[in-house]
Amino acid sequence: MEYCDILEIAMMLPCSADRTLFVAGFAMSNYALTFGHIAKPFNPLLGETFEYVHHDKCYCALSEQVEHHLPISACWVEGKNYVYHADTNIKSKFNSGSLTVVPTGVCQVELKLPLAFLDHDDKKNAGAACQLPHINEAEGYFTEHYKWNKLTTNVNGIMIANFWIEHVGDLDVLNHHSGDCTKITFMQLGWTGHNKFKVTGEALDHQGNKVYDIAGDWTSKLMAHPVDATGSATQEAETIKCPSHMDDTVSADDAVKYAASNSIQVPRTLFVLWKINDRQTKNNTYNLTTYAMSLNDKPAELVPYLCPNDSCFHPNQYAMETGEYELADTEKSWLKNKQQVTCCCCEQGELKA
């Protein structure tokens, strides 16, 4: 959710093809956080949760490990004008010196949009909607539903101890209301080293017409270029920012009203769809962004309100963060053994209430 601003921008775009493009930019941004991360994370325990509330951006997030074999996790994030939810079931295989991770989960976003956007000119001749939107007349908004599957991830260089991560495949984001679709292709590294980290793509409207070309790389920046672009091909790319006043809205109703009266038009020239945030380089052992480094923080005044099974209380994780690696390994083994014994007792009906 580091790049949730992209969803806030999407909510302010009257055209559904533009919204689908920006939701796809948000979907791609999730993979940028994996760049430079080669260490295997701790496996969550069955029933382990993680809760996070971002006061500035007014969203709350909750995730839970819902199964252990096979490991399945689920998350739910709710903001003023959007809902994001996903589940992850990972399968892996080792071949030719690399580890291939294939997630089978689905990611979904629901945007709350002003009713005025239903009558946008681009939709007058669109025909019947693919899926009727949920309309809330009382609060003046309708809900638009987007969905995509996750990509295959390769961990390369295992045999030579020079690890690097590569995501490959097509990220297809579908707007279930309008039928608009954006496809972003993560290219696989060639024998000559060509295409490393590169992505290409296109955005199609409800009639299958291409409206944007997409290019960049998932480690730094993603650009979009309208097919009917004006201006010079060498013109510097524009940057679209979410108005700061959107952060001042305190409810979904306020956010929808603000979007209705302050809609954004996508520039008809080359523009930046997504750009990675700067990373702190000092005392940053795990190459994390500033946002990622804040996730495990638990101020004393917050502790009484957290679930006792929240991951911020994970003793081996905390030991790893503070550089106590032997303690982290000991705690990991203890927790793993305890979980195995508990699961065995549960299966045999010996677990006491």
Side-chain angles (χ1 to χ4, degrees):
M1 298 305 299
E2 179 167 356
Y3 300 97
C4 65
D5 283 353
I6 302 178
L7 292 180
E8 294 187 345
I9 293 174
M11 184 204 174
M12 304 180 71
L13 302 173
C15 177
S16 64
D18 295 345
R19 293 194 295 270
T20 307
L21 172 70
F22 274 78
V23 171
F26 167 78
M28 197 230 69
S29 71
N30 289 274
Y31 294 95
L33 301 177
T34 64
F35 179 62
H37 297 174
I38 58 174
K40 179 181 178 296
F42 291 116
N43 293 327
L45 300 174
L46 179 62
E48 183 176 335
T49 62
F50 176 74
E51 186 175 359
Y52 184 77
V53 176
H54 198 302
H55 293 288
D56 293 337
K57 291 299 179 182
C58 297
Y59 71 79
C60 55
L62 178 65
S63 61
E64 181 179 355
Q65 187 76 0
V66 294
E67 285 193 30
H68 188 62
H69 293 294
L70 298 166
I72 299 177
S73 59
C75 73
W76 183 277
V77 182
E78 190 164 340
K80 290 175 296 188
N81 49 5
Y82 62 84
V83 172
Y84 167 72
H85 51 99
D87 60 271
T88 302
N89 180 6
I90 294 177
K91 298 180 180 179
S92 60
K93 60 181 180 179
F94 183 82
N95 56 358
S96 303
S98 66
L99 177 68
T100 299
V101 180
V102 183
T104 58
V106 176
C107 301
Q108 303 182 65
V109 160
E110 298 171 16
L111 292 182
K112 296 178 181 178
L113 304 165
L115 288 177
F117 289 0
L118 279 175
D119 300 322
H120 188 260
D121 289 342
D122 289 352
K123 292 299 163 195
K124 287 183 178 179
N125 300 315
C130 296
Q131 181 186 84
L132 293 177
H134 171 72
I135 298 177
N136 188 325
E137 293 280 1
E139 297 187 21
Y141 71 83
F142 70 98
T143 302
E144 204 164 56
H145 180 207
Y146 305 83
K147 181 172 149 183
W148 65 93
N149 294 320
K150 295 188 175 183
L151 297 171
T152 296
T153 297
N154 296 325
V155 182
N156 300 309
I158 293 178
M159 300 299 292
I160 58 176
N162 183 21
F163 304 106
W164 60 278
I165 289 177
E166 176 185 41
H167 304 291
V168 295
D170 293 331
L171 187 67
D172 295 320
V173 177
L174 176 65
N175 184 329
H176 282 279
H177 164 230
S178 66
D180 302 309
C181 179
T182 295
K183 174 184 287 188
I184 300 178
T185 300
F186 287 61
M187 304 181 73
Q188 191 162 12
L189 178 68
W191 288 103
T192 60
H194 189 57
N195 294 333
K196 189 173 184 179
F197 307 138
K198 296 297 181 183
V199 297
T200 61
E202 60 182 10
L204 307 178
D205 65 13
H206 55 277
Q207 296 176 332
N209 301 316
K210 183 165 70 171
V211 289
Y212 293 99
D213 287 309
I214 303 169
D217 60 80
W218 60 266
T219 60
S220 61
K221 184 187 295 185
L222 192 64
M223 316 286 283
H225 188 263
V227 294
D228 59 349
T230 58
S232 171
T234 59
Q235 185 175 348
E236 185 178 354
E238 292 190 37
T239 300
I240 304 174
K241 294 184 178 180
C242 183
S244 58
H245 295 296
M246 176 61 83
D247 292 340
D248 298 333
T249 58
V250 295
S251 67
D253 186 44
D254 291 339
V256 169
K257 290 179 180 178
Y258 181 83
S261 58
N262 297 274
S263 61
I264 298 175
Q265 296 297 328
V266 176
R268 307 320 299 167
T269 58
L270 181 70
F271 63 90
V272 179
L273 181 59
W274 163 84
K275 184 178 180 181
I276 196 169
N277 292 333
D278 293 335
R279 301 195 182 205
Q280 178 180 326
T281 56
K282 186 178 180 180
N283 299 325
N284 191 357
T285 306
Y286 303 104
N287 198 30
L288 301 175
T289 62
T290 302
Y291 171 84
M293 293 173 69
S294 70
L295 293 179
N296 241 24
D297 184 37
K298 51 178 188 299
E301 63 272 15
L302 182 63
V303 171
Y305 301 98
L306 290 173
C307 293
N309 54 333
D310 194 285
S311 63
C312 69
F313 298 121
H314 221 298
N316 55 349
Q317 185 169 276
Y318 180 76
M320 180 70 78
E321 288 180 358
T322 56
E324 301 177 84
Y325 301 113
E326 292 185 3
L327 177 60
D329 188 59
T330 301
E331 292 287 353
K332 174 186 175 182
S333 299
W334 178 81
L335 287 169
K336 181 179 178 181
N337 292 336
K338 182 180 179 181
Q339 178 174 242
Q340 289 175 344
V341 171
T342 302
C343 289
C344 183
C345 292
C346 184
E347 291 171 358
Q348 297 176 5
E350 299 176 359
L351 190 64
K352 296 182 180 179

